[in-house]
Amino acid sequence: MNEKHYHIITYGCQMNVHESEKIAGTLKKMGYEPVADSEDADIVVFNTCCIRENAENHAYGNIGALKKLKKSKKDLLIAVGGCMTQQPGKAEELKKKFPFVDIVFGTHNLDELQKLVELKLKRKKSVVDVWEKEGEISEKDKPFRTSYPNAWVNIMYGCNNFCTYCIVPYVRGRERSRRPEHIVAEVRSLLDEGYKEITLLGQNVNSYGNDADGAFNFPDLLREICQDKRKFRLRFMTSNPKDFTEDLVAAIAENPQICRLVHLPVQAGSDRILQKMNRKYTFDEYLDKVKMLRKRIPDCQITTDIMVGFPTETEEDFQKTLDLVDAADFSTAFTFVYSRRSGTVAAEMEGQIPEDVQKDRIMRLVSLVNSKTREKSKEYLGKIVEILCEDYDGKKGVYLGRDEYGRMGYFPSSENVVGKFVNVKITEASGVSLTGEIVR
Ligand code: SAH
Ligand code: SF4
Ligand code: F3S
C-alpha cells in the first residue's frame, strides 16, 4: 500500500476543532488519509491554542515528544499551526526550540497549507509562513467532518472586542463575516447530507454583519436558516452579553429548531473588574439580559464562562462573582484561572494575583458551580427528554447523545440509533450526565 497518512492534534476551542476539519479537508484532497497515531502518519499537524498558558504548554510537550519519531522516520513531516504561531516572535521561537519542525503556518493562511506542504516536499529547508494580516475569507476546500450527526459552521472570523485579558483579537485579527448566502447554502447541504445538529461559530456572533454596514445581522441569519423545516437543531456560540439583544431572543423564541440554551460568558461579577476587563456591561445589566431572556423563553437555560484571579481582584470582588452565579441560575459554567498573556493590556496591569489565592478562589467557585449543576441534574429524574444520539460506546455497551441543553445522556438500544432523535426516560442523574431508557 502506498497510501499517505495524516494525524492532526488539536487544542483549544470549537473554532479550532472545526479548523482542523478544514486542514483534514485539504490533506484529503492531497491524497492523505487519516490515522489515529502519529507513529503511522506521514504528516503530523499541531493545531495550537494560546488562550491560556497551559494550552501552550500542552502543545510544547507534545511537539517535543515527536523528536524521537522524527529521528527514526526522516520523511515524516511535522507542521505547527493555529493561534499560538500567530503571536509575535512565536514562529521563530518554535523553530529554535524544535528545529525538527518542517512547517510553521498561522490562522490567517490556513488556506495556503497545500502550497506550504508541497513546497516543503520539494526542499530541505523548513517552511515558515505566518501572516500578520488576515487573509480573504475563502470558500475553497470542503472541511472533512468526523463529527456526524453534529456539524460546525463558521459564520465569522476574528474579534474586535479586545477584552483586556484576551489574546484572541491579536491572533485572529479583526471581525470578518461570511456572506449569509454561503452560510445558508452550507447549512442546507449539511442537512441534505443528513446532519442533525448545526453549531454556528464566531467569537461574538452578535456582531455578525457589523463589518458589512449592517447589510445583514445575526437574528436574521438565524431566521433565514430556520426557513428549512426539516428536523434539526441549531446552536450558536459565543454570544457576548454586551450585544445580546431582544431581537436575538425573539429569533430564538420564533424558531423551535434553535436550542433553548444560550451560552453567555459573564467572566466576573464585580463591576470594577468587569470594567478593567473591558467587557462593557455591569452585574445589573447582565442580570437584566438574563431576566429578559427567561421572561420571553421560560424554558431557556443559560451557561457561562467565568474567570477568577484577574489582576487586582479582591475577596470582595470575588464574592460578587459567587453572588452572580447564584442570581443568574446558570445550568453550568466553564471556569478558568486568569492566565497572563503577553501582549494583552491586563498582562501589564499592577496587582497580578498570587497563584495560591487564584487556586483557592477557583476551588470555591467550582464547588458552587458543581452543586448548581447537580441540582439541575436532579430535575431531570423521571422526565422524558429528546436526545440526539451521537455515538455508541462499545466498552460500556451504551449509546450516548445530548439533549437540547447539551446534557450528555447514556442509554441502551437494540438497534443502531446514531444520528437519530430518541426519547429517553431519565432513571439516573448524577453530576453532569444522565442515564435512561428509550421510550416510544
Ligand atoms: N469569544 C468568547 C470567548 C472565547 S475564549 C467570548 O467572548 O465569550 C473562551 C473563554 O476563555 C473566555 O470566555 C474566558 O473565560 C477564557 N479566557 C480568555 N482569556 C483568558 C485568559 N487570559 N486567562 C484565563 N481565561 C481566559
Ligand atoms: Fe476574547 Fe473578548 Fe473577543 Fe471573546 S470577545 S474572543 S473574550 S476579546
Ligand atoms: Fe480558540 Fe485558543 Fe485560538 S480558544 S481562538 S484556539 S487561542
Side-chain angles (χ1 to χ4, degrees):
M1 275 227 302
N2 225 349
E3 231 169 39
K4 298 180 295 176
H5 293 97
Y6 69 83
H7 180 57
I8 304 173
I9 301 166
T10 311
Y11 308 84
C13 60
Q14 268 165 346
M15 190 87 66
N16 246 26
V17 175
H18 182 46
E19 266 158 25
S20 286
E21 294 178 335
K22 294 185 187 174
I23 294 171
T26 303
L27 294 173
K28 286 270 282 187
K29 202 179 80 183
M30 295 175 72
Y32 289 89
E33 288 298 321
V35 277
D37 282 310
S38 300
E39 278 78 29
D40 305 320
D42 301 279
I43 179 165
V44 175
V45 183
F46 290 90
N47 191 11
T48 62
C49 169
C50 56
I51 196 86
R52 284 169 290 273
E53 197 183 353
N54 55 11
E56 288 199 297
N57 290 344
H58 269 151
Y60 278 139
N62 292 349
I63 300 168
L66 278 201
K67 187 175 174 185
K68 232 173 105 197
L69 184 65
K70 177 81 182 179
K71 258 196 185 145
S72 64
K73 205 172 162 183
K74 286 271 180 286
D75 290 341
L76 171 70
L77 287 186
I78 299 177
V80 182
C83 290
M84 196 165 124
T85 64
Q86 285 289 155
Q87 299 170 91
K90 203 54 137 191
E92 295 71 34
E93 191 190 315
L94 275 164
K95 272 308 297 168
K96 237 193 190 155
K97 218 172 172 142
F98 308 110
F100 56 88
V101 166
D102 300 283
I103 301 166
V104 181
F105 64 107
T107 59
H108 295 329
N109 62 340
L110 200 69
D111 271 351
E112 302 275 300
L113 187 60
Q114 174 163 2
K115 263 209 254 168
L116 303 182
V117 173
E118 283 167 355
L119 181 62
K120 173 60 211 174
L121 288 170
K122 271 193 246 145
R123 73 182 207 192
K124 224 173 159 300
K125 200 170 163 285
S126 59
V127 175
V128 179
D129 192 7
V130 178
W131 297 3
E132 223 175 275
K133 279 248 161 284
E134 43 278 55
E136 285 285 296
I137 293 187
S138 141
E139 306 284 334
K140 209 172 69 183
D141 287 344
K142 204 175 164 216
F144 175 61
R145 292 184 164 89
T146 49
S147 54
Y148 178 84
N150 306 335
W152 290 291
V153 173
N154 279 119
I155 65 164
M156 60 195 298
Y157 302 87
C159 181
N160 288 357
N161 290 318
F162 289 93
C163 303
T164 54
Y165 50 80
C166 186
I167 192 89
V168 171
Y170 301 92
V171 296
R172 288 282 179 170
R174 297 294 64 75
E175 281 173 2
R176 285 100 67 207
S177 300
R178 255 180 104 191
R179 299 286 316 170
E181 58 273 22
H182 291 148
I183 299 166
V184 172
E186 186 173 358
V187 172
R188 297 262 187 283
S189 90
L190 288 166
L191 296 177
D192 291 344
E193 286 172 45
Y195 284 89
K196 297 287 171 18
E197 186 174 298
I198 310 289
T199 305
L200 306 176
L201 296 177
Q203 294 297 351
N204 177 14
V205 293
N206 300 331
S207 44
Y208 173 72
N210 285 0
D211 55 325
D213 290 329
F216 38 87
N217 65 38
F218 187 57
D220 288 345
L221 176 71
L222 290 176
R223 291 182 176 107
E224 183 62 34
I225 292 172
C226 291
Q227 290 296 319
D228 199 311
K229 297 301 174 200
R230 281 175 281 188
K231 168 105 180 147
F232 70 102
R233 279 181 188 163
L234 188 59
R235 299 185 189 279
F236 55 85
M237 61 187 316
T238 295
S239 184
N240 191 312
K242 79 176 166 66
D243 308 311
F244 187 75
T245 59
E246 286 195 41
D247 191 31
L248 173 55
V249 176
I252 302 171
E254 288 155 22
N255 293 289
Q257 300 100 312
I258 305 175
C259 294
R260 265 71 185 128
L261 169 75
V262 177
H263 185 62
L264 205 57
V266 68
Q267 313 301 354
S270 148
D271 290 348
R272 192 183 65 82
I273 295 293
L274 284 168
Q275 197 189 7
K276 278 183 93 78
M277 285 177 165
N278 194 28
R279 290 294 287 184
K280 302 198 169 80
Y281 53 83
T282 61
F283 182 107
D284 288 341
E285 284 162 354
Y286 182 87
L287 269 190
D288 283 346
K289 301 216 176 190
V290 165
K291 281 182 200 149
M292 181 260 290
L293 174 59
R294 292 203 197 280
K295 193 167 168 208
R296 182 77 204 260
I297 311 173
D299 58 342
C300 195
Q301 294 193 16
I302 302 168
T303 57
T304 198
D305 291 351
I306 306 172
M307 195 186 301
V308 302
F310 184 83
T312 77
E313 184 188 67
T314 61
E315 177 60 26
E316 212 183 340
D317 292 319
F318 174 64
Q319 281 299 333
K320 285 273 187 319
T321 296
L322 298 180
D323 293 348
L324 193 121
V325 172
D326 261 331
D329 196 26
F330 298 119
S331 304
T332 189
F334 299 94
T335 53
F336 308 103
V337 171
Y338 165 74
S339 170
R340 198 172 182 173
R341 304 284 66 210
S342 122
T344 63
V345 173
E348 305 307 320
M349 286 180 186
E350 308 239 318
Q352 301 285 327
I353 304 295
E355 223 180 285
D356 55 333
V357 177
Q358 290 183 324
K359 272 202 182 130
D360 172 65
R361 287 183 191 159
I362 192 84
M363 270 158 56
R364 284 149 64 201
L365 176 65
V366 166
S367 103
L368 177 65
V369 167
N370 285 350
S371 71
K372 295 255 165 213
T373 310
R374 272 195 298 270
E375 263 172 45
K376 296 260 168 216
S377 276
K378 277 196 202 126
E379 291 169 17
Y380 273 94
L381 267 180
K383 285 209 175 119
I384 293 171
V385 295
E386 186 179 65
I387 288 185
L388 171 58
C389 181
E390 291 177 0
D391 210 351
Y392 176 68
D393 181 338
K395 263 193 214 143
K396 292 192 189 127
V398 287
Y399 286 85
L400 53 124
R402 288 171 199 278
D403 77 344
E404 175 175 359
Y405 304 109
R407 289 251 171 181
M408 191 61 95
Y410 298 85
F411 52 90
S413 170
S414 51
E415 57 175 307
N416 182 352
V417 286
V418 174
K420 296 209 164 79
F421 289 98
V422 288
N423 288 326
V424 175
K425 183 164 185 181
I426 304 306
T427 52
E428 217 184 295
S430 63
V432 286
S433 62
L434 311 168
T435 312
E437 306 275 339
I438 296 187
V439 289
R440 308 259 161 215

